[in-house]
Amino acid sequence: MNEKTIFITGASAGFGAACARIFSAQGNRLILTARRSDPLLTLQRELSGKTEVHVIPLDVRDRVAVKDAVESLPERFRDIDVLINNAGLALGLEPAHKVDLDDWETMVDTNIKGLMYCTRQILPGMVARNRGHIVNLGSVAGSWPYPGGNVYGGTKAFVEQFSLNLRCDLLGTRVRVTCIQPGMAETEFSKVRFKGNEKMASQVYSGTEALTAEDIAETIYWVINRPEHVNINTLELMSIDQAWSPFAVHRRK
Ligand SMILES: NC(=O)C1=CN([C@@H]2O[C@H](COP(=O)(O)OP(=O)(O)OC[C@H]3O[C@@H](n4cnc5c(N)ncnc54)[C@H](OP(=O)(O)O)[C@@H]3O)[C@@H](O)[C@H]2O)C=CC1
Ligand SMILES: O=CCS(=O)(=O)O
């Protein structure tokens, strides 16, 4: 048994919930957070026979709430070994000149600032104990541009560079940092992106075998269970049904 205390943001759906399931099987203590408490409580009931699960309704955009959540953890959950910075979202696929500025702000507040708040709150304990692992959810959108990817891709480029820079600051400690960069994966992601439009969401995955939440959770499980001297810096994965396109060229008449 390899028990760790694992703090997961965005555990109410998708990758976060799949991570909770896979890590519960290893007997790890889980701290599950997200804004929606009902799915968290359902997951807690599902997993409670396997491991200890602590649930915190938390909006990662709320800096004070992040601080309070970490500072008020029960004794047995205080020494966090693994932080999975997974909470995040894309909103819209409009070109930059038509986009809703509120959507851009929400993505920056969640994908960048929320990830910063959780990291800054949990990292000092890891450094003091000289052990830990931060796994950040980046995306292929952070490395490869596409129309309408504008601020979403920008936030995920931040996640990659922030992850690499963290490792620079942590050199000499036993704290690891990994940026996971998935391509198209079928979760609630597109339903959120298209604001509840199920038809547009399902078209994203139509006729493909997209990555699943379990594929990502298994990858994170593998990354975390490498020998402690091995740091996977970045790991990009895609469905076999996804690849890049040639450069787009605008031809003048
Ligand atoms: N699916 C994909 O194709 C890909 C996704 N990613 C990234 O992976 C991560 C997880 O995505 P995925 O599982 O697919 O998406 P889902 O929409 O299925 O899950 C997103 C999770 O994030 C939580 N969340 C969103 N906003 C907040 C917030 N402000 N505070 C706390 N929790 C929040 C949601 O919970 P709640 O609504 O209850 O708060 C939910 O649990 C994201 O960072 C996403 O950008 C990266 C590459 C590909
Ligand atoms: O991050 C999600 C993958 S994509 O929709 O941007 O390709």
Side-chain angles (χ1 to χ4, degrees), residues 6 29-33 44 51-56 69 72-74 77:
I6 303 183
R29 268 185 293 275
L30 301 177
I31 303 155
L32 306 182
T33 74
Q44 184 183 41
T51 191
E52 292 173 82
V53 181
H54 182 66
V55 159
I56 312 174
S72 60
L73 283 169
F77 290 87

Side-chain angles (χ1 to χ4, degrees), residues 36-198:
R36 288 170 291 172
S37 54
D38 282 355
L40 291 180
L41 293 169
T42 304
L43 196 52
Q44 184 183 41
R45 277 193 294 277
E46 177 191 327
L47 303 179
S48 59
K50 295 181 180 165
T51 191
E52 292 173 82
V53 181
H54 182 66
V55 159
I56 312 174
L58 177 66
D59 186 332
V60 294
R61 294 172 296 178
D62 185 337
R63 180 172 163 172
V64 175
V66 169
K67 185 170 185 288
D68 289 347
V70 175
E71 286 182 351
S72 60
L73 283 169
E75 181 76 39
R76 282 181 62 68
F77 290 87
R78 253 176 226 163
D79 291 351
I80 296 166
D81 298 296
V82 179
L83 164 61
I84 304 179
N85 268 322
N86 164 74
L89 76 175
L91 288 172
L93 206 50
E94 297 286 310
H97 52 289
K98 292 187 179 166
V99 95
D100 179 345
L101 193 53
D102 287 342
D103 287 349
W104 275 6
E105 209 159 12
T106 302
M107 290 188 276
V108 168
D109 288 348
T110 311
N111 302 357
I112 296 182
K113 292 169 80 176
L115 184 142
M116 277 165 35
Y117 299 154
C118 294
T119 302
R120 184 62 184 86
Q121 195 59 44
I122 290 171
L123 184 57
M126 290 182 174
V127 173
R129 291 184 293 278
N130 199 24
R131 67 164 200 274
H133 199 148
I134 297 180
V135 177
N136 293 327
L137 264 295
S139 165
V140 292
S143 308
W144 313 106
Y146 61 81
N150 42 64
V151 162
Y152 178 66
T155 65
K156 294 303 185 179
F158 168 88
V159 173
E160 176 179 5
Q161 198 63 18
F162 181 60
S163 304
L164 300 180
N165 282 336
L166 277 177
R167 265 304 299 154
C168 292
D169 290 352
L170 292 166
L171 187 67
T173 76
R174 307 284 288 179
V175 180
R176 299 185 285 179
V177 184
T178 301
C179 183
I180 304 284
Q181 300 169 302
M184 174 180 71
E186 190 161 2
T187 60
E188 293 183 6
F189 178 83
S190 292
K191 196 173 144 196
V192 171
R193 175 169 238 171
F194 298 118
K195 302 178 180 173
N197 187 326
E198 303 265 9

Side-chain angles (χ1 to χ4, degrees), residues 196-214:
N197 187 326
E198 303 265 9
K199 194 171 167 219
M200 284 175 80
S202 67
Q203 277 167 0
V204 173
Y205 313 108
S206 170
T208 74
E209 189 175 356
L211 295 174
T212 65
E214 290 69 33

